[in-house]
Amino acid sequence: MKKLIMIKYGELTTKKANRNAFIKILTKNIEKMLKDENVTITKDRVRMYITCDDEVKVIKNLQKVFGLHSIVLCEKVNTNIEDICKKANELVIGKKTFKIETKRSLKSFPINSMEVSRKVGAYVLKNSNLKVDVHNPDIIVHVEIRNEGTFLYTDDIPGIGGYPVGIQGKGLLMLSGGIDSPVAGYLALKRGVDLECIYFESPPHTSVEAKNKVLKLASIINEYSGNIKVHVVPFTKLQEEIYKKVPHTYMITIMRRMMYRIALKVCLKNNLKVIVNGESIGQVASQTLDSMSVINKVVDIPVIRPVACMDKLEIISLANKINTYETSILPYEDCCTIFVPKHPIIHPSLDKCISYEATFDFEKLVDECIDNIETITNFESDDYTDYL
Ligand code: ATP
Ligand code: MG
């Protein structure tokens, strides 16, 4: 038998002017998320209705769609008080106490909400052994009388909130194999910024496992997007040149300025509006405000750092929630960890960076990186597990 799911939109209902665009993108995202299910989707201004065969699977998928406030499995009846009463009486079976809550958006229905609740309550009292408890009932039966029919449900399953992915366009996530950047990606997606990812690899200093780990992380956050690509940048030559030409205290600063330069070019080429990364204030030498400022100087588009003000435990807790933590803590080396100097500069000077960079032709090496990017698309969440 077909099941009916009703969706209540999230924050988007507060943005009246953009409502249509929001609903359009949200619908597209839901259709994409449910592409393997046999579903029919209809909607009005404040609700979406999905008929389906496998409600458990559909609800599980919907819990990964940003922009949903809640998801309810409901029953639809004709809009008359007899049918509403009968259905409510079916829904309370097995419970001891109940309460009826009614919302009437169909103002032409002649009985007001309070009166509907009273009539339905009286019917249930008469036709079952249950008692009314308005403060702490075993079950609340919600009745929504709407244009499209009347809907009854008992459980409100929370959605993950946020804005529909893509409503803000796309950004470029600097995705390393660490804990922070996948969490940063998740948070950007939650604000409606869809993502492509960039990963800098330095073979043979970094292993194929390190790359697969990043691809696995990309596939996990892709469950919230469906559009993720990963641009893998061959960074070895540039990194070795930095190692040779730059005083080791400045190596990380210069390396990160190069990463940003490459990220900017990838953004411009692919129409990506912002760079997103997992920097967190004070976490390491390259993440002091002075370092961030000197590094940031090479780009003129916004850099968003969603975890900048979170502490590590908060980031870890979110990483666990979105299921990236276990992959992030696998031990494969990242290109940064291999070239880490003993005493990286904490308060770098911009002038020194510029003079060190003038000692080699970095533009050529940056362009070489861009020319040799390998772009990986079409992620499924299980794709990379076997390689780790
Ligand atoms: P994470 O846990 O996310 O790796 P981290 O604490 O290791 O972060 P850093 O290594 O200083 O911190 O990196 C800061 C941010 O720079 C990362 O969160 C990520 O966004 C980006 N980054 C670092 N290394 C790479 C890389 N090899 N490829 C792509 N982005 C990177
Ligand atoms: Mg890292």
Side-chain angles (χ1 to χ4, degrees):
M1 208 183 74
K2 290 279 180 199
K3 292 287 172 18
L4 179 63
I5 290 167
M6 183 168 76
I7 284 171
K8 302 180 188 178
Y9 304 144
E11 256 174 280
L12 62 88
T13 49
T14 59
K15 306 267 187 264
K16 286 223 164 55
N18 291 329
R19 185 191 293 267
N20 289 345
F22 274 68
I23 295 177
K24 205 167 142 195
I25 293 187
L26 183 64
T27 310
K28 217 175 87 208
N29 292 350
I30 288 175
E31 282 168 354
K32 194 162 55 173
M33 189 65 90
L34 301 178
K35 65 181 186 317
D36 298 330
E37 301 297 313
N38 183 20
V39 296
T40 323
I41 300 177
T42 53
K43 61 197 173 217
D44 63 29
R45 241 169 41 88
V46 289
R47 297 280 186 264
M48 192 177 294
Y49 307 94
I50 300 176
T51 50
C52 63
D53 298 322
D54 186 343
E55 76 280 12
V56 176
K57 228 161 141 194
V58 168
I59 290 173
K60 198 165 157 244
N61 283 328
L62 289 174
Q63 284 179 298
K64 291 202 163 167
V65 178
F66 288 119
L68 303 190
H69 175 266
S70 56
I71 305 157
V72 294
L73 188 59
C74 63
E75 304 252 8
K76 185 177 179 184
V77 297
N78 292 327
T79 301
N80 63 63
I81 196 73
E82 294 77 23
D83 285 7
I84 297 171
C85 286
K86 275 190 207 144
K87 184 54 76 182
N89 201 42
E90 278 172 39
L91 292 177
V92 299
I93 288 172
K95 305 288 179 188
K96 291 203 171 71
T97 56
F98 76 100
K99 179 185 177 184
I100 309 290
E101 275 187 5
T102 306
K103 255 196 205 139
R104 181 190 58 142
S105 60
L106 180 69
K107 295 301 173 206
S108 61
F109 188 67
I111 312 173
N112 72 28
S113 306
M114 292 273 278
E115 194 56 26
V116 171
S117 293
R118 216 172 292 137
K119 278 183 192 287
V120 177
Y123 181 94
V124 173
L125 277 174
K126 198 170 151 205
N127 292 281
S128 73
N129 297 321
L130 278 85
K131 294 203 164 31
V132 172
D133 181 343
V134 288
H135 301 297
N136 193 20
D138 292 345
I139 188 166
I140 299 176
V141 178
H142 299 268
V143 179
E144 288 199 7
I145 301 169
R146 314 186 62 80
N147 262 333
E148 302 70 25
T150 296
F151 303 87
L152 287 88
Y153 61 91
T154 56
D155 293 311
D156 228 326
I157 303 163
I160 48 170
Y163 294 140
V165 169
I167 193 83
Q168 292 289 346
K170 265 189 155 187
L172 182 66
L173 172 66
M174 296 171 71
L175 183 63
S176 66
I179 297 166
D180 306 327
S181 46
V183 172
Y186 170 87
L187 290 171
L189 289 168
K190 185 167 186 177
R191 289 337 281 170
V193 182
D194 206 352
L195 295 173
E196 295 185 10
C197 305
I198 187 165
Y199 167 59
F200 300 88
E201 67 164 354
S202 298
H205 312 295
T206 58
S207 61
V208 71
E209 283 88 353
K211 175 180 171 185
N212 281 330
K213 176 178 158 181
V214 169
L215 296 178
K216 172 69 184 171
L217 290 169
S219 74
I220 296 172
I221 57 172
N222 192 41
E223 291 175 27
Y224 301 90
S225 154
N227 300 314
I228 301 260
K229 299 175 180 177
V230 181
H231 303 284
V232 180
V233 181
F235 202 49
T236 315
K237 245 170 121 177
L238 184 47
Q239 200 163 14
E240 286 176 352
E241 197 65 8
I242 294 168
Y243 192 73
K244 272 188 244 155
K245 301 281 168 57
V246 173
H248 285 193
T249 49
Y250 267 75
M251 222 164 55
I252 295 275
T253 315
I254 305 287
M255 185 190 81
R256 296 194 65 76
R257 282 165 59 88
M258 297 302 164
M259 284 183 171
Y260 271 53
R261 286 185 172 106
I262 293 167
L264 175 65
K265 289 199 173 196
V266 170
C267 284
L268 296 178
K269 202 168 156 184
N270 296 288
N271 196 23
L272 309 173
K273 298 177 188 172
V274 289
I275 294 173
V276 179
N277 69 35
E279 290 172 345
S280 179
I281 300 168
Q283 207 181 75
V284 290
S286 63
Q287 293 169 27
T288 62
L289 290 185
D290 287 337
S291 287
M292 282 188 193
S293 149
V294 163
I295 291 163
N296 213 137
K297 282 279 189 308
V298 299
V299 296
D300 54 7
I301 61 172
V303 178
I304 293 176
R305 302 172 174 86
V307 303
C309 297
M310 289 167 75
D311 57 49
K312 197 75 189 186
L313 289 178
E314 288 173 310
I315 299 171
I316 288 175
S317 151
L318 195 46
N320 270 312
K321 196 180 127 198
I322 64 171
N323 206 23
T324 52
Y325 184 71
E326 291 301 320
T327 305
S328 288
I329 59 170
L330 293 171
Y332 312 111
E333 297 279 8
D334 179 50
C335 65
C336 302
T337 43
I338 286 170
F339 290 89
V340 175
K342 273 209 185 73
H343 302 291
I345 185 102
I346 293 172
H347 303 290
S349 122
L350 180 60
D351 288 345
K352 281 190 181 166
C353 288
I354 293 169
S355 69
Y356 297 145
E357 286 169 357
T359 62
F360 64 106
D361 189 359
F362 70 83
E363 296 283 5
K364 189 171 148 249
L365 290 166
V366 163
D367 286 341
E368 225 177 275
C369 285
I370 300 281
D371 291 343
N372 291 299
I373 282 176
E374 173 200 10
T375 298
I376 298 171
T377 50
N378 293 330
F379 288 96
E380 291 298 335
S381 52
D382 295 335
D383 273 1
Y384 295 93
T385 315
D386 294 347
Y387 301 105
L388 291 172

